[in-house]
Amino acid sequence: ASDEFRYSISLDGRDIAEIFLQIDLKTAIFEHDKVGRVTLMNMMIFFFVNLLFLVLIIDRFLVQRIILLSKNAKKMMGSNTNEKLKIQSPDEIGILVENYESLKEKFLNNQEELINKAKIAENALVTRSRFLANTSHEIRTPLNGIIGMTDILIDDEKNEATRSEEHTSELQSPD
């Protein structure tokens, strides 16, 4: 099966040329399929090479930096490190690193502040304990004296009342 195409070229109403095209469709389709398969194969190879390249770029510029950030975060939680990350880029990872560094600085400042406040609280507790011990001693000593004097007065009053009763009974006895 073949197709024919004819086209006449005219000048001043006269046919001066004719273009004739005859195509064998079976050969054209086979050649088209062969070219199509080669083109498709080339496109697939190009796609996979670009995909591999993209994966390597993502790994290099994204995954590796995130892993470094994660390792540094774990290290910071284990000790007081002032080591700064060496990732500086204008992209999202750079912003993430800047925010991480800011958060780390606040964390370390808060940790230092808490340690200082704990020391102040501990000193206040020691001072309070000393104050209570001294105050207790200072109050207890005069109180013991007052209690002792009160006991003496009470005993003295009992003795005086007893003496008074004995004196009264001596006066009343008919001997």
Side-chain angles (χ1 to χ4, degrees):
S2 64
D3 283 333
E4 294 180 4
F5 297 100
R6 293 183 186 267
Y7 184 73
S8 298
I9 300 174
S10 304
L11 181 65
D12 293 329
R14 286 186 19 212
D15 287 341
I16 58 168
E18 184 179 56
I19 296 176
F20 175 74
L21 180 63
Q22 184 178 8
I23 300 175
D24 182 8
L25 290 178
K26 287 183 183 179
T27 306
I29 290 172
F30 176 75
E31 289 297 319
H32 178 69
D33 283 348
K34 201 161 85 173
V35 169
R37 278 183 271 159
V38 169
T39 304
L40 180 63
M41 186 77 102
N42 286 338
M43 286 174 51
M44 287 174 58
I45 290 171
F46 179 75
F47 173 75
F48 285 117
V49 167
N50 283 332
L51 184 63
L52 179 64
F53 184 69
L54 183 64
V55 166
L56 291 174
I57 287 174
I58 288 173
D59 181 61
R60 171 78 171 110
F61 292 106
L62 184 67
V63 175
Q64 294 299 322
R65 292 193 273 173
I66 290 174
I67 289 171
L68 179 63
L69 182 64
S70 176
K71 285 180 181 178
N72 195 276
K74 285 180 184 176
K75 188 192 302 183
M76 183 191 77
M77 297 312 273
S79 67
N80 288 346
T81 179
N82 290 331
E83 180 180 325
K84 294 230 182 232
L85 287 176
K86 295 174 182 122
I87 299 173
Q88 294 178 341
S89 61
D91 59 1
E92 290 83 3
I93 297 295
I95 293 169
L96 182 64
V97 168
E98 285 176 23
N99 290 338
Y100 166 78
E101 288 295 336
S102 174
L103 181 65
K104 181 174 80 171
E105 186 176 327
K106 286 180 184 177
F107 173 79
L108 292 175
N109 288 341
N110 286 343
Q111 186 179 27
E112 191 175 309
E113 187 177 321
L114 284 174
I115 289 171
N116 290 338
K117 287 185 179 185
K119 287 178 183 176
I120 290 170
E122 188 177 327
N123 288 339
L125 184 62
V126 168
T127 303
R128 177 185 152 265
S129 297
R130 286 182 188 156
F131 172 77
L132 288 176
N134 289 339
T135 305
S136 172
H137 174 73
E138 294 298 326
I139 292 173
R140 209 177 23 225
T141 302
L143 276 178
N144 284 339
I146 293 171
I147 290 170
M149 292 300 287
T150 305
D151 284 343
I152 291 172
L153 288 174
I154 290 173
D155 285 344
D156 217 21
E157 283 180 11
K158 284 183 185 176
N159 289 340
E160 196 173 306
T162 307
R163 272 187 255 136
S164 170
E165 283 178 21
E166 287 174 3
H167 182 65
T168 307
S169 60
E170 282 177 11
L171 291 175
Q172 292 177 358
S173 12
D175 306 60

